[in-house]
Amino acid sequence: MSQPETHRPPLDLTPNELLSTTRAVRRRLDVTKPVPREVLLDCTRLAQQAPSGRNRQRWDFVFVTDPDRRRALADLWRRGLASPASPRSHDGPSRHDFTAEAGWQAIADSLHHLVDILDQVPVLLVPCIQVGSRAELDDPATQAGTWGSVLPAVWSFMLAARSRGLGTVWTTPHLNYERQAATLLDLPYETTVQCALIPVAWTIGTQFKPARRVPVTEVVHWNHW
């Protein structure tokens, strides 16, 4: 008897394949199949091995699976995307080629698809970092240490998810209304900072290719800029 779709065996990926094919998945999230809690826990156990500043391990994962809260969180995300609390400019340096098939239209189409399905995605992960106070985010050096104490764990989770046939994508629009999201999720706003909202679902197909990137010589500097 074949295994149920929700209990797929791990993908046979080499470390290089795992690192080069863990993509931002929007179009290929399968919203029809639930993700078992044990799979999420397995990925989180691996995430716990990620380094954190002074080994304080002060991050938490909030998995939102309740349909009502998921819908409400998705609504905040859409609101943050359409009407950010503070308008932001996306001008500035970019190494992305916005022409031809790599262009903005492909990204926009993918994003619009996520807008349409976000409330249907079976799991929404909100990674958080505990702080003494939000003043910790005011100083660049302290802020770097704060984010550096949670982002490795989140990326480890996303790699573990990919290795099991799950897709993820880092998103942040709901942070425009973080306080409202904190109320929705019963989070202590002043001492718990939300980092992202990450949809988690089985992928439609498991084959992903490395993305096009500029030559490594364009991003590496030796001894000086």
Side-chain angles (χ1 to χ4, degrees):
M1 180 179 293
S2 62
Q3 290 182 309
E5 187 70 11
T6 54
H7 291 82
R8 302 177 187 175
L11 303 180
D12 185 18
L13 299 173
T14 67
N16 282 356
E17 289 171 333
L18 178 62
L19 290 168
S20 64
T21 64
T22 301
R23 307 257 61 86
V25 184
R26 301 179 186 91
R27 285 181 176 277
R28 291 173 59 183
L29 295 172
D30 190 338
V31 300
T32 68
K33 298 180 177 66
V35 178
R37 179 171 293 190
E38 190 56 42
V39 176
L40 299 172
L41 291 175
D42 283 345
C43 294
T44 305
R45 290 185 185 100
L46 290 171
Q48 285 183 296
Q49 298 302 315
S52 64
R54 301 185 184 182
N55 199 28
R56 292 170 66 188
Q57 304 169 56
R58 55 192 175 118
W59 56 264
D60 296 86
F61 286 174
V62 180
F63 292 105
V64 184
T65 59
D66 174 76
D68 291 336
R69 292 200 187 204
R70 215 171 56 212
R71 278 191 293 271
L73 190 57
D75 285 344
L76 281 177
W77 184 91
R78 293 185 181 106
R79 181 180 168 192
L81 187 67
S83 303
S86 300
R88 299 173 185 175
S89 170
H90 295 285
D91 295 334
S94 173
R95 289 192 171 98
H96 182 75
D97 177 10
F98 287 99
T99 62
E101 61 180 302
W104 169 247
Q105 192 58 52
I107 297 174
D109 290 347
S110 176
L111 180 59
H112 290 157
H113 179 74
L114 187 61
V115 169
D116 291 339
I117 68 163
L118 185 61
D119 58 301
Q120 303 169 50
V121 176
V123 182
L124 300 179
L125 165 59
V126 180
C128 302
I129 183 81
Q130 297 182 44
V131 295
S133 77
R134 285 185 168 253
E136 189 171 316
L137 303 179
D138 295 339
D139 170 63
T142 307
Q143 184 180 127
T146 299
W147 298 130
S149 293
V150 59
L151 297 188
V154 179
W155 183 235
S156 288
F157 176 90
M158 295 169 87
L159 289 169
R162 162 68 176 139
S163 75
R164 287 157 173 76
L166 294 167
T168 59
V169 55
W170 182 281
T171 75
T172 57
H174 91 288
L175 296 177
N176 284 287
Y177 299 97
E178 186 193 359
R179 189 181 288 275
Q180 291 90 327
T183 299
L184 174 67
L185 302 176
D186 301 322
L187 294 176
Y189 176 80
E190 295 299 334
T191 56
T192 304
V193 178
Q194 299 167 57
C195 308
L197 185 154
I198 299 172
V200 183
W202 300 108
T203 58
I204 300 171
T206 59
Q207 295 298 315
F208 290 84
K209 299 185 296 184
R212 287 189 292 180
R213 296 290 188 255
V214 299
V216 71
T217 51
E218 291 191 24
V219 301
V220 171
H221 308 263
W222 301 103
N223 300 316
H224 59 84
W225 186 263

